[in-house]
Amino acid sequence: MTENPNQPTEYDAVLGGESQVPFAAAVLGGIPGVKSRLASPIVEVKIAALSEALKYGDAGLDLIIGVLQDESMSVKFAAYSLLKDRDEPNIKQQLQKYFRTFDFDVITVDAEGKENSRRRHYAHFFSEYLGKKVVLEMVYIPGGTFMMGSPLTEKGRYDTEESPRHQVTVPAFLAGKYSITQAQWQAVMGNNPSYFPGEKRPVENVSWDEAFEFCGKLSQKTGKKYRLLSEAEWEYACRAGTTTPFHFGETFTPELVNYDGRLPYANASIGLYREQTTDVGSFPPNAFGLYDMHGNVFEWCSDWWHPNYNGAPTDGSSWETGTGKGRVQRGGSWYYNAVLCRSASRYFYSERNRRGKIGFRVAIASVSPSY
């Protein structure tokens, strides 16, 4: 065994990212090996190297912090996931530099719609500049496991469409803080198809095909891979750790959501019907820091419609097989009653259909290299 500290030993890790290791060649491990793999053009190789970097103390942490500047959002996610729970001041400072935080109140209500809890939360986000003072804010959604669908006891549930209730594990991803606004649509697409004009209002009257086209053009404009949320991601993001019909609790009121307040849920009183969209962010967010997940506009998801969850993916991915009868929509809208705004409620239209009740939200791919 050599005494040279720079010479690989029999215990060193194999250098990743190579198609094969030449016969009798020494393999490179330790910090030099991690650095080599972090320089790889292959995202999967970089993500694997980040986990190994943790073995090397402060030197490994410095490498992970450096990766927060990587061009790939998937690699940034992986670095962020490894660092987000650490308490060192320098790490917190670096995270704040690349993933800023915002604070907000999370409100819950009882079955009559009366506030019974208010907690201070924060979430990490980054801003995407689209030109002409238009900014798109993307919020970090931590990965996790949840039960998708509604329990048999949930009032107003659709027995077939929301069954069978099943466990889904969703990798971390970034989701739009708000539905795409008319100003954001205009900045990317150069027009505004909405029935209810207003720069801060959600764009609506857009088909699934047009929302898909927007994601493509936004990706070209920014160099990041934007897309629609999968249906599983959408419900997971909407619930934000809750199991009640709404992330607010057992019901909500027109002070919390833009919907047809004449048709309330549970024991809530009849309330205001606005008959139009409202500016995004007009109502309190959920615990992930996402606004208007209930009401205002339906949101297109990437999945083809299926009449039940038999055979549905359990990894948070989009359900791309099926009959092609239409694309999934979630969240309810200003036009509909509270029942259709439930976290588990599902709806669909043809991908070419446009309505003044339909908009969308965007996402960026998860940490998982296989996603």
Side-chain angles (χ1 to χ4, degrees):
M1 187 176 292
T2 179
E3 297 298 324
N4 185 346
N6 295 320
Q7 183 69 22
T9 73
E10 62 184 302
Y11 301 107
D12 283 331
V14 174
L15 174 62
E18 302 291 340
S19 59
Q20 62 182 3
V21 178
F23 177 73
V27 292
L28 184 61
I31 286 292
V34 173
K35 287 182 177 178
S36 295
R37 280 179 282 165
L38 289 177
S40 170
I42 303 172
V43 169
E44 291 86 348
V45 172
K46 289 185 177 183
I47 291 175
L50 287 172
S51 296
E52 187 185 340
L54 284 177
K55 301 175 184 178
Y56 301 107
D58 290 342
L61 286 173
D62 288 342
L63 292 179
I64 298 172
I65 290 171
V67 168
L68 291 172
Q69 305 175 57
D70 196 276
E71 293 181 0
S72 166
M73 287 307 302
S74 292
V75 177
K76 284 183 179 180
F77 285 168
Y80 172 81
S81 297
L82 293 171
L83 298 173
K84 64 183 177 66
D85 295 324
R86 301 189 70 97
D87 293 325
E88 294 93 329
N90 66 313
I91 292 178
K92 288 186 174 182
Q93 183 179 8
Q94 290 298 318
L95 287 178
Q96 182 68 10
K97 180 178 180 180
Y98 295 102
F99 284 90
R100 292 182 292 158
T101 59
F102 66 101
D103 298 288
F104 50 91
D105 286 337
V106 175
I107 296 172
T108 60
V109 299
D110 62 20
E112 295 181 348
K114 296 179 181 178
E115 183 177 328
N116 59 15
S117 173
R118 183 181 290 255
R119 309 179 311 279
R120 199 69 179 165
H121 276 235
Y122 75 92
H124 286 279
F125 76 104
F126 84 90
S127 297
E128 190 82 83
Y129 183 65
L130 303 183
K132 297 183 179 179
K133 299 183 180 180
V134 178
V135 174
L136 171 63
E137 293 179 320
M138 299 296 294
V139 178
Y140 177 82
I141 308 299
T145 299
F146 80 112
M147 294 302 295
M148 187 172 181
S150 59
L152 298 176
T153 55
E154 186 165 301
K155 178 183 176 182
R157 76 186 297 268
Y158 290 85
D159 293 339
T160 300
E161 295 170 5
E162 298 170 27
S163 297
R165 202 172 183 219
H166 58 292
Q167 182 173 288
V168 179
T169 298
V170 179
F173 66 103
L174 286 172
K177 187 176 182 180
Y178 312 110
S179 304
I180 290 297
T181 66
Q182 293 174 37
Q184 291 163 349
W185 178 276
Q186 180 77 42
V188 174
M189 304 295 283
N191 58 52
N192 185 2
S194 303
Y195 285 133
F196 303 107
E199 288 189 352
K200 294 183 179 180
R201 293 194 185 199
V203 68
E204 24 80 11
N205 192 36
V206 293
S207 68
W208 186 94
D209 287 338
E210 290 166 333
F212 182 83
E213 181 184 3
F214 174 93
C215 291
K217 289 188 175 182
L218 179 61
S219 298
Q220 292 176 354
K221 186 180 184 73
T222 63
K224 301 181 180 71
K225 191 175 181 180
Y226 281 93
R227 56 174 175 78
L228 298 174
L229 280 71
S230 72
E231 184 177 14
E233 285 176 330
W234 193 97
E235 185 171 329
Y236 173 76
C238 177
R239 290 186 179 280
T242 63
T243 58
T244 46
F246 312 95
H247 65 69
F248 291 108
E250 295 298 329
T251 190
F252 53 60
T253 65
E255 286 69 45
L256 300 174
V257 172
N258 182 16
Y259 70 108
D260 187 347
R262 301 171 301 178
L263 301 169
Y265 188 86
N267 300 323
S269 300
I270 293 174
L272 177 66
Y273 175 38
R274 295 180 175 85
E275 302 185 65
Q276 58 185 302
T277 61
T278 49
D279 286 358
V280 299
S282 296
F283 304 96
N286 66 13
F288 285 158
L290 300 180
Y291 290 77
D292 297 318
M293 295 300 285
H294 300 304
N296 213 16
V297 289
F298 268 114
E299 295 182 359
W300 287 114
C301 294
S302 57
D303 310 56
W304 285 107
W305 169 258
H306 295 76
N308 56 58
Y309 287 133
N310 291 323
T314 59
D315 61 355
S317 61
S318 182
W319 201 353
E320 291 302 313
T321 60
T323 60
K325 289 185 177 179
R327 297 285 183 170
V328 174
Q329 295 175 340
R330 288 300 203 110
S333 81
W334 61 269
Y335 182 81
Y336 287 107
N337 58 25
V339 167
L340 291 181
C341 296
R342 290 175 300 113
S343 298
S345 181
R346 310 171 65 219
Y347 211 67
F348 76 98
Y349 275 118
S350 161
E351 59 267 37
R352 298 177 184 84
N353 196 294
R354 298 184 188 89
R355 298 286 178 91
K357 322 174 207 27
I358 307 172
F360 66 101
R361 188 179 304 254
V362 294
I364 297 179
S366 88
V367 177
S368 171
S370 62
Y371 189 75

